[in-house]
Amino acid sequence: MSAQPDHTPAAPYVPAPGVPAELHSQLRESPRADRWVPAFEREWAAALEESRRSFSLAALYEVLQTWQARVASAPAVDAFAASGRDESGFVDLEGIRERRR
């Protein structure tokens, strides 16, 4: 029997050096730029400060992954919103409030 693991762990996410600038450019060109650019810049600044304190790039990488996912999923979100389907009743917030009383 071997002491080696039977699987290979996933490689950690490490973006290419130009990814933050490319992502920022994509956000500026997005129809959501008025909301997304300031939000990205706030999150990036907070992650940068965290990285300075912790000497770890993990917070910066997490911000990049989160925003890349938002940009990638935006067309699907737009298509769903344009489909006219009303999912507002999917979560019954009133029922939850009633059960808590």
Side-chain angles (χ1 to χ4, degrees):
M1 185 175 258
S2 172
Q4 298 297 321
D6 61 351
H7 67 284
T8 304
Y13 172 76
V14 179
V19 168
E22 291 170 13
L23 179 60
H24 197 229
S25 177
Q26 280 182 306
L27 294 174
R28 278 187 261 127
E29 294 168 5
S30 166
R32 296 173 174 87
D34 58 328
R35 293 174 312 199
W36 279 15
V37 170
F40 172 78
E41 290 172 348
R42 277 192 308 272
E43 289 180 28
W44 185 257
L48 189 57
E49 187 58 36
E50 172 63 26
S51 292
R52 287 181 181 137
R53 281 195 302 269
S54 67
F55 297 101
S56 170
L57 299 175
L60 292 168
Y61 292 171
E62 184 178 340
V63 169
L64 288 176
Q65 279 187 300
T66 299
W67 280 95
Q68 285 173 326
R70 286 180 181 148
V71 169
S73 64
V77 171
D78 291 342
F80 178 80
S83 72
R85 297 196 311 197
D86 179 17
E87 298 292 331
S88 61
F90 185 70
V91 176
D92 181 17
L93 295 178
E94 290 301 317
I96 293 170
R97 288 185 192 113
E98 287 297 315
R99 283 178 276 204
R100 288 185 178 172
R101 290 183 191 169

